[in-house]
Amino acid sequence: MPSSSFFLLLPFSFLLLSVNGADPLFHFCSSFQNFTANGPYESNLNKLAGNLNLQVPKQGFGFGSSGQDPDQVYGLGLCRGDVSSSDCKNCVADASSEIRKRCPTNKAAIIWYDNCLYKYSDEKFFGQIDNRNRFYMWNVRVVNNSAQFNEDVKELLNELADEAYATPKLYKTGESEIEDPKNKLYGLVQCTRDLSNGDCKKCLDGIIGELGSCCDGKKGGRVVGGSCNFRYEMYPFVNA
């Protein structure tokens, strides 16, 4: 992946459009390296996609590589922890197809949907925190007491992060009551499972630290990266 960081700020109206339809939330194509159409790298990329399309829905996560240097390609797929295997399969299939349309000859690319993440590169990235690919989404509506609300959100997300990194799926959801207004707050945190437990916690702590930049006083928001993400809302948004 490129060495430069990438941040995108998106309004909640775009979030609603993406979640309610089958469109990706966002994607990013590498800009430095390209492969030759119909060459060995593309052949390995096609093989990897087929393997991930079979592997990921079984456990909600999968990663691997195809080919040999200098045409070896590495990739992973991750589905949201509450997504069914059938929805996971559909999401990964859509992602692997759509990213090739949007990044037709790029050696590295990443795409996010509400239900899954799909990523590949000519560089071996497994076990490394991806701080380069990240974007924000938020609800345009704000609360009255933003300072207290921000503390409530941070407390919930930190509690979830403290539990998520020690789970097999590196995933946790939860809820908490808030006083102003008296309501419930719902949250989700998740890491890609190529990370160690410690690096998952480090990744989550990092993005939770961006809460103020992303979602100050907003009624809902998320920071979504290549290795971990969080989301919070004032309504239930995960499958029971």
Side-chain angles (χ1 to χ4, degrees), residues 48 52 55-56 61-65 75-77 125-127 193-194:
L48 175 67
L52 291 177
Q55 181 184 2
V56 177
F61 175 75
F63 68 105
S65 66
L76 64 75
F125 58 85
F126 306 141
R193 282 182 249 164
D194 59 309

Side-chain angles (χ1 to χ4, degrees), residues 3 10 39 42 53 64 75 119 132 157-158 179 185 199 201:
S3 59
L10 297 176
E42 183 171 25
N53 285 352
K119 175 182 178 182
R132 302 169 183 172
L157 293 177
N158 280 331
E179 296 297 328
L185 189 64
D199 280 342
K201 182 63 164 57

Side-chain angles (χ1 to χ4, degrees), residues 153-168 170-174 188-191 197-198 200-208 229-230:
V153 173
K154 187 175 182 180
E155 181 179 358
L156 174 61
L157 293 177
N158 280 331
E159 289 177 357
L160 297 179
D162 287 341
E163 296 183 48
Y165 86 95
T167 67
L170 303 183
Y171 165 83
K172 190 68 179 178
T173 63
L188 173 154
V189 299
Q190 185 171 20
C191 297
N197 298 86
C200 174
K201 182 63 164 57
K202 183 178 179 181
C203 187
L204 291 173
D205 287 346
I207 61 172
I208 293 171
N229 71 91
F230 75 70

Side-chain angles (χ1 to χ4, degrees), residues 1-215:
M1 289 290 180
S3 59
S4 59
S5 298
F6 187 85
F7 295 88
L8 180 71
L9 307 183
L10 297 176
F12 193 63
S13 58
F14 184 87
L15 170 60
L16 288 176
L17 174 63
S18 300
V19 171
N20 290 337
D23 293 331
L25 301 177
F26 191 66
H27 76 281
F28 182 60
C29 307
S30 66
S31 57
F32 299 126
Q33 298 292 330
N34 294 295
F35 60 81
T36 302
N38 302 315
Y41 191 88
E42 183 171 25
S43 176
N44 292 331
L45 187 55
N46 291 337
K47 186 180 296 184
L48 175 67
N51 292 339
L52 291 177
N53 285 352
L54 292 175
Q55 181 184 2
V56 177
K58 295 178 182 179
Q59 300 293 330
F61 175 75
F63 68 105
S65 66
S66 179
Q68 302 293 327
D69 286 335
D71 297 304
Q72 190 167 8
V73 56
Y74 305 86
L76 64 75
L78 173 73
C79 288
R80 206 173 75 182
D82 62 308
V83 173
S84 68
S85 59
S86 60
D87 286 343
C88 179
K89 180 179 180 179
N90 291 335
C91 190
V92 173
D94 288 344
S96 61
S97 174
E98 188 64 25
I99 194 61
R100 296 292 299 280
K101 297 175 184 176
R102 300 183 180 219
C103 308
T105 59
N106 295 94
K107 282 193 171 183
I110 183 169
I111 190 167
W112 295 269
Y113 284 74
D114 196 51
N115 282 346
C116 70
L117 154 72
Y118 189 87
K119 175 182 178 182
Y120 59 82
S121 176
D122 59 325
E123 297 180 4
K124 188 176 182 180
F125 58 85
F126 306 141
Q128 302 174 27
I129 298 174
D130 181 356
N131 289 316
R132 302 169 183 172
N133 302 293
R134 188 172 305 158
F135 65 99
Y136 300 160
M137 287 183 168
W138 65 86
N139 190 321
V140 296
R141 287 174 286 185
V142 297
V143 298
N144 293 325
N145 187 347
S146 61
Q148 181 59 53
F149 184 76
N150 290 343
E151 286 300 315
D152 292 337
V153 173
K154 187 175 182 180
E155 181 179 358
L156 174 61
L157 293 177
N158 280 331
E159 289 177 357
L160 297 179
D162 287 341
E163 296 183 48
Y165 86 95
T167 67
K169 295 175 70 172
L170 303 183
Y171 165 83
K172 190 68 179 178
T173 63
E175 61 186 63
S176 64
E177 290 189 358
I178 54 178
E179 296 297 328
D180 187 23
K182 187 170 179 57
N183 210 322
K184 280 192 175 182
L185 189 64
Y186 301 85
L188 173 154
V189 299
Q190 185 171 20
C191 297
T192 58
R193 282 182 249 164
D194 59 309
L195 295 185
S196 67
N197 298 86
D199 280 342
C200 174
K201 182 63 164 57
K202 183 178 179 181
C203 187
L204 291 173
D205 287 346
I207 61 172
I208 293 171
E210 296 177 23
L211 183 64
S213 301
C214 158
C215 319

